[in-house]
């Protein structure tokens, strides 16, 4: 393709709205443009990459025996109502009505619809196992769309669903998908880690996420280099220390509690300053609204509450921190002084807090805290559970070695669903004896747009994107330095044609621009191989450079062509 004819609207300036490398670069390199919050159009260069990622996914799905189909994005409400997810999705689901008042949604994910389809067409054990997939647009009205296509409101997902006779066969289907996912992300050139994930309200017997380690990731991942354990922080189990401070013997004796006036101290930092002690010696009491119920939740002063763990413990659908007015109503005090003593709501206590002695809590009175509080003696827990987020250095739940914690981008998710949907929607098969059984299901998702953005996050430098060859929009760019020079143009044209004939995807930058501008664009767009035709054209010498390396070398035309071909694998 000749660059002079192409629609590649690159930008020199970094768009103000973009915070992370991939988002900035996708806009700057002219890969996409924003239409509205969390809604984007892919432009030609971006769409080529998008389709390559999609194609890698498709090839590996097909190779694993999954069959592609396509369903509508506009879906009737009934199946979601039958599974209960019409409510569960809450505000995240885009809902609409047709002219007759019938309810629909724009599909956020298709478990119900695949289940319905299989149910209507398949009755016999002989039809199983069956894995179906589609690569299709999903809609989710995310609370906080951000980072470009990383978390958008419209995105394309490859979603696959397996149907089996029993758990043992599900394990086989699941393993095939696991292996296909590894191949997909390997081929995309991603450095990723597979972590155990929470199965949460969806039920199911196991789930794993494919995470790309990145400082801009939104999921915490805990992993252990000693034994290989890896889990996301919603799942990673926290092993409590034996004693609140782990060292002082005296703290194991229960001391008399006392109320202390703490007029200007309400945050942990202010309290540490006031009491001259460590955050570990406090227990925070947080007030939450879980569906329609108010609960108090306690974690150690230096810990983070994990809302997913709490949600699972409570078995609630909606969970949010109570507003100041509710806090005042429940505790009788302003925010910052809540505590477990005398409070009249269920109190969920983190495992670690249950092992603490003589700690500081709010006194449910504005301006006061209690010292030397002890569980069971001074208050009762409604429930003790692991509800905090694991931290770097905590004990590995499997082997006890200190864990590492990093951030990751979830690009794929595989899930053993079991019979949750097949039972709800009555998707059954008849076994050899004519007996009815619910099919056992798995579901498997990959975000195509997010994967594309994650590839950029891991492959870029100050000058732009560095595409892995497998997903690069074009493999090679041929740059004549001076388009007015006939010899240079002729040679560039010859290289361009020969590479094209060999099946290489090649660009010819025939624009009448300064070479610096062309080099900058080629680097920004991230074409893996650049062949520059300049002053030495008369001698048949060109400059050969890889985007991923800083050095370049002079080569004969033949050598440059064959190097490019072998780089591309042609
Ligand atoms: P997250 O926790 O990031 O919201 P999720 O658990 O909701 O993800 P799944 O429902 O498992 O995601 O969807 C499967 C895949 O779809 C994810 O692994 C991710 O790659 C992609 N995905 C999910 N939500 C979005 C989104 N808002 N924008 C882009 N891709 C998304
Ligand atoms: Mg989500």
């Amino acid at each position: 393709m000749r660059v002079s004819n192409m629609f590649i609207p690159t930008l020199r300036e970094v768009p103000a709205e973009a915070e992370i490398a991939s988002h900035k670069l996708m806009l700057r390199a002219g890969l996409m443009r924003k239409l509205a919050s969390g809604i984007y159009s892919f432009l030609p260069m971006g769409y080529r990459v998008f389709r390559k990622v999609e194609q890698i996914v498709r090839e590996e799905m097909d190779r694993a025996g999954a069959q592609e189909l396509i369903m509508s994005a506009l879906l009737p409400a009934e199946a979601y109502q039958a599974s209960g997810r019409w409510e569960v999705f809450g505000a995240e689901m885009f809902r609409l009505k047709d002219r007759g008042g019938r309810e629909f949604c724009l599909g956020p994910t298709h478990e119900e619809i695949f289940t319905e389809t299989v149910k209507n067409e398949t009755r016999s054990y002989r039809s199983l196992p069956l894995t179906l997939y589609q690569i299709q647009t999903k809609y989710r009205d995310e609370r906080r769309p951000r980072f470009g296509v990383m978390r958008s409101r419209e995105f394309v997902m490859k979603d696959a669903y397996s149907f089996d006779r029993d758990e043992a066969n599900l394990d086989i289907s699941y393993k095939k998908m696991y292996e296909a996912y590894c191949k997909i992300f390997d081929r995309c050139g991603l450095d990723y880690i597979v972590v155990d994930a929470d199965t949460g309200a969806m039920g199911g017997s196991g789930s794993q996420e494919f995470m790309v380690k990145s400082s801009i990731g939104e999921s915490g991942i805990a992993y252990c280099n000693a034994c290989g354990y890896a889990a996301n922080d919603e799942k990673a189990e926290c092993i409590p220390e034996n004693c609140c401070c782990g060292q002082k013997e005296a703290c194991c004796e229960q001391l008399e509690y006392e109320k202390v006036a703490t007029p200007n101290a309400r945050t942990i930092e202010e309290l540490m300053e006031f009491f001259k002690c460590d955050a570990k010696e406090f227990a925070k009491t947080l007030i939450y609204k879980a569906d329609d119920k108010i609960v108090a939740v306690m974690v150690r002063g230096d810990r983070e509450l994990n809302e997913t763990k709490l949600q699972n413990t409570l078995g609630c659908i909606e969970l949010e921190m109570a507003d100041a007015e509710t806090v005042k109503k429940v505790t009788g005090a302003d925010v910052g002084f809540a505590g477990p003593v005398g409070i009249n709501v269920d109190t969920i206590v983190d495992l670690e807090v249950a092992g603490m002695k003589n700690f500081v809590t709010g006194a449910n009175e504005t301006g006061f805290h209690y010292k030397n509080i002890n569980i069971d003696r001074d208050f009762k827990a409604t429930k003790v559970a692991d509800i905090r987020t694991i931290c770097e250095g905590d004990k590995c739940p499997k082997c006890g070695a200190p864990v590492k914690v990093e951030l990751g981008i979830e690009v794929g998710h595989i899930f053993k669903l079991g019979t949750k949907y097949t039972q709800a929607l009555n998707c059954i098969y008849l076994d050899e004896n004519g007996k009815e059984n619910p099919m056992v299901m798995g579901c498997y998702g990959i975000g195509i747009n997010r994967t594309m953005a994650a590839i950029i996050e891991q492959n870029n430098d100050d000058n732009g994107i560095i595409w892995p060859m497998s997903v690069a929009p074009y493999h090679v760019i041929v740059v004549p330095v001076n388009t007015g020079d006939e010899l240079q143009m002729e040679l560039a044209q010859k290289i361009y044609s020969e590479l094209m004939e060999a099946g290489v995807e090649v660009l010819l930058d025939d624009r009448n621009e300064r070479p610096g501008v062309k080099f900058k664009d080629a680097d920004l767009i991230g074409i893996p191989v650049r062949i520059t035709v300049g002053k030495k054209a008369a001698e048949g010498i060109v400059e050969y450079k890889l985007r991923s390396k800083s050095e370049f070398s002079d080569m004969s035309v033949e050598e440059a062509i064959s190097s490019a071909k072998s780089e591309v694998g042609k």
Side-chain angles (χ1 to χ4, degrees), residues 41 142 161 187 228 304 334 437 443 460 469 475 485 523 548:
S41 310
E142 296 276 353
Y161 306 87
R187 284 181 65 186
E304 289 279 327
D334 290 344
N437 298 284
C443 71
N460 73 78
M469 192 62 85
H475 303 134
D485 181 318
D523 280 356
S548 57

Side-chain angles (χ1 to χ4, degrees), residues 469 475-477 495 499 528-533 541-547 549-568:
M469 192 62 85
H475 303 134
V476 178
I477 184 162
I495 298 169
L499 285 174
V529 181
R530 190 180 83 199
I531 298 175
T532 308
V533 183
I541 302 288
V542 295
E543 184 191 281
Y544 183 88
K545 184 181 177 300
L546 296 181
R547 175 66 181 86
K549 304 245 160 64
S550 51
E551 25 340 319
F552 41 83
S553 46
D554 278 355
M555 282 185 186
S556 70
V557 172
E558 292 69 35
E559 213 184 330
I561 292 176
S562 77
S563 300
K565 281 203 272 191
S566 78
E567 193 67 36
V568 177

Side-chain angles (χ1 to χ4, degrees), residues 107-354:
T109 173
H110 278 65
E111 280 78 6
E112 285 83 349
I113 312 301
F114 274 74
T115 309
E116 279 278 335
T117 305
V118 169
K119 165 192 163 176
N120 293 335
E121 314 298 336
T122 310
R123 290 282 291 168
S124 164
Y125 70 94
R126 284 191 210 91
S127 314
L128 306 179
L130 179 66
T131 299
L132 302 172
Y133 79 99
Q134 63 177 346
I135 300 179
Q136 194 248 19
T137 312
K138 300 282 184 267
Y139 296 88
R140 294 183 185 180
D141 197 358
E142 296 276 353
R143 190 187 291 267
R144 253 190 102 194
R146 62 179 192 149
F147 294 162
V149 293
M150 204 65 101
R151 179 170 301 283
S152 50
R153 299 199 294 168
E154 184 198 68
F155 60 97
V156 173
M157 196 203 285
K158 183 287 298 172
D159 46 330
Y161 306 87
S162 64
F163 297 84
D164 277 289
R165 308 177 56 166
D166 49 30
E167 285 284 337
N169 280 292
L170 166 61
D171 288 350
I172 298 171
S173 300
Y174 182 89
K175 187 159 177 278
K176 280 192 190 151
M177 286 295 121
Y178 177 100
E179 284 162 1
Y181 273 42
C182 292
K183 289 194 188 123
I184 289 166
F185 295 121
D186 285 342
R187 284 181 65 186
C188 288
L190 282 168
D191 177 16
Y192 61 93
I193 168 169
V194 190
V195 304
D196 291 346
D198 173 49
T199 49
M202 294 259 276
S205 55
S207 164
Q208 286 166 300
E209 286 168 351
F210 287 71
M211 293 280 192
V212 170
K213 282 190 203 166
S214 164
S215 58
I216 61 96
E218 295 184 288
S219 318
I221 43 185
Y223 60 97
C224 171
N225 285 331
C227 73
Y229 172 84
N232 76 12
D233 65 10
E234 297 173 346
K235 168 88 177 173
E237 195 190 328
C238 297
I239 308 295
E241 286 174 13
N242 292 330
C243 195
C244 65
C245 64
Q247 42 185 326
K248 275 190 281 170
E249 285 230 332
C251 89
C252 294
E253 215 177 276
Q254 295 193 357
L255 306 174
E256 275 305 301
Y257 79 80
E258 53 179 295
K259 196 192 263 182
V260 183
T262 54
N264 297 315
R266 60 179 80 203
T267 67
I268 289 292
E269 289 71 31
E270 288 160 357
L271 288 163
M272 279 162 66
E273 177 63 30
F274 184 90
F275 283 97
K276 301 273 173 273
C277 64
D278 200 88
K280 286 181 172 183
E281 293 167 63
F282 296 89
K284 300 188 263 204
T285 306
L286 309 164
I287 309 296
Y288 266 86
K289 186 165 172 253
D291 295 335
D292 292 326
K293 206 171 158 185
I294 304 297
V295 292
V297 182
M298 297 184 76
V299 291
R300 203 171 81 181
D302 57 335
R303 301 301 197 188
E304 289 279 327
L305 172 77
N306 190 295
E307 291 190 352
T308 305
K309 287 185 178 177
L310 178 62
Q311 205 165 2
N312 292 342
T313 300
L314 294 169
C316 64
I317 295 172
E318 296 282 348
L319 182 72
E320 57 179 2
M321 275 195 105
D323 54 30
E325 200 184 315
T326 310
V327 172
K328 181 116 199 190
K329 213 159 105 198
V330 172
T331 65
D334 290 344
V335 171
F337 300 97
V341 181
I343 201 163
N344 217 357
V345 293
D346 284 358
T347 306
I348 315 299
V349 175
D350 181 52
L351 259 182
E352 190 173 51
V353 174

Side-chain angles (χ1 to χ4, degrees), residues 312-457:
N312 292 342
T313 300
L314 294 169
C316 64
I317 295 172
E318 296 282 348
L319 182 72
E320 57 179 2
M321 275 195 105
D323 54 30
E325 200 184 315
T326 310
V327 172
K328 181 116 199 190
K329 213 159 105 198
V330 172
T331 65
D334 290 344
V335 171
F337 300 97
V341 181
I343 201 163
N344 217 357
V345 293
D346 284 358
T347 306
I348 315 299
V349 175
D350 181 52
L351 259 182
E352 190 173 51
V353 174
M356 284 167 69
K357 296 270 156 52
N358 305 322
F359 46 93
V360 179
T361 71
N364 294 327
E365 189 178 335
T366 303
F368 290 90
H369 280 79
Y370 282 127
K371 245 171 88 170
N372 301 330
I373 290 297
N374 286 282
I375 189 167
D376 294 336
R377 184 191 70 178
D378 305 325
F379 71 97
K380 300 268 179 280
T382 313
K383 195 166 186 183
V384 173
D386 170 17
I387 51 169
R388 75 168 173 97
T389 300
I390 198 163
C391 299
E392 175 100 17
D394 280 357
K395 281 187 190 145
C396 166
K398 220 163 135 197
C399 77
V403 295
K404 293 223 155 273
V405 173
E406 279 188 58
L407 292 174
I409 303 165
E410 180 202 317
V411 286
H413 192 178
I414 57 178
F415 205 123
K416 291 183 190 171
L417 287 170
T419 56
K420 176 179 158 81
Y421 295 97
T422 52
Q423 267 178 335
L425 299 167
N426 199 30
C427 177
I428 49 129
Y429 72 94
L430 298 175
D431 65 20
E432 291 92 328
N433 307 316
K435 185 172 164 279
E436 291 188 346
N437 298 284
M439 292 187 202
V440 181
M441 240 179 119
C443 71
Y444 316 90
I446 292 181
I448 305 291
N449 326 34
R450 190 184 285 182
T451 298
M452 178 172 161
I455 296 172
I456 301 176
E457 279 304 317

